[in-house]
Amino acid sequence: MRKMNFRFAVCLALLAAALSGGCIGVPGPSLGIFSVPIPVSPYFQGAYEDMAFEKDRYSQVPILPPITEGAPIGLDEPSDDEVIRLLEKAKPNNGGVPFLETRYRNNAKITKELIADYVDPVRFFPMVGPVQVHHVHYKCTVYYEQVIRVGWPIPYTIRKQDASEVIYVDKDHLHAVAAPQNTL
């Protein structure tokens, strides 16, 4: 009985020490039960971070100034990061199944070719105004060494030195059109 009271007293002291430290025992405004952190799986955290990164970097359409005579109107070619992300989206399970089959892309080299670059006539978009849509199309070829590691039933590795994939990237953006001047 005495041993049980001692254990209870130790547990009670540890609980009191845990509650007195940090922000839980501090008087003032509190979030109550919502102030206790909830663990999140690294898978969901990584997926959310990737979604936010792609939205901020690649999903927004820029509105550029009007096109002037003699000025280059094309945007920059797609970045290597954008091409690899699009390649992974196009082949969602190309990484294999963990512990059964895992695929890697090593020594990737990317070539980018401009296929088309054209501008549509002036159109009116709500909340934007009169603009021209500028279309730029690229053909991106990714050359890499593919390594496939199989872990079950018999572990072995396959290396393909000259693997390649082709991704087509369409980059569209808007050019503002100068408002017509009223002549009297």
Side-chain angles (χ1 to χ4, degrees):
M1 184 75 171
R2 187 175 181 119
K3 217 180 220 186
M4 189 169 183
N5 287 339
F6 180 72
R7 286 184 184 166
F8 180 73
V10 168
C11 289
L12 191 60
L14 288 174
L15 181 64
L19 289 177
S20 66
C23 297
I24 294 177
V26 176
S30 173
L31 296 174
I33 190 67
F34 298 111
S35 63
V36 178
I38 299 171
V40 177
S41 167
Y43 171 79
F44 292 112
Q45 181 179 355
Y48 183 75
E49 288 175 1
D50 284 345
M51 181 185 68
F53 178 80
E54 287 183 15
K55 180 182 175 211
D56 289 344
R57 189 132 188 209
Y58 302 121
S59 297
Q60 299 175 355
V61 178
I63 301 175
L64 299 177
I67 299 172
T68 58
E69 293 296 325
I73 57 175
L75 275 181
D76 296 334
E77 59 187 19
S79 65
D80 292 347
D81 175 59
E82 184 177 6
V83 172
I84 294 297
R85 283 179 181 269
L86 288 171
L87 180 63
E88 289 173 359
K89 258 189 195 174
K91 299 191 167 235
N93 198 16
N94 201 20
V97 179
F99 302 113
L100 295 180
E101 174 187 303
T102 309
R103 296 173 183 231
Y104 302 97
R105 290 186 194 101
N106 296 335
N107 304 326
K109 292 175 183 57
I110 301 173
T111 61
K112 302 163 192 154
E113 299 174 38
L114 180 65
I115 296 175
D117 185 2
Y118 58 95
V119 179
D120 288 346
V122 177
R123 290 178 46 189
F124 182 83
F125 282 90
M127 298 185 70
V128 175
V131 293
Q132 290 180 303
V133 182
H134 184 194
H135 304 278
V136 183
H137 304 290
Y138 288 95
K139 175 185 175 186
C140 302
T141 308
V142 182
Y143 301 99
Y144 58 93
E145 173 192 9
Q146 183 178 28
V147 178
I148 302 172
R149 291 202 173 115
V150 178
W152 189 84
I154 300 170
Y156 61 94
T157 301
I158 300 171
R159 291 185 184 272
K160 185 176 177 185
Q161 297 288 336
D162 56 350
S164 65
E165 296 284 342
V166 176
I167 296 287
Y168 292 94
V169 180
D170 300 332
K171 297 186 79 138
D172 298 334
H173 57 278
L174 303 174
H175 285 281
V177 175
Q181 297 177 358
N182 294 334
T183 57
L184 295 174

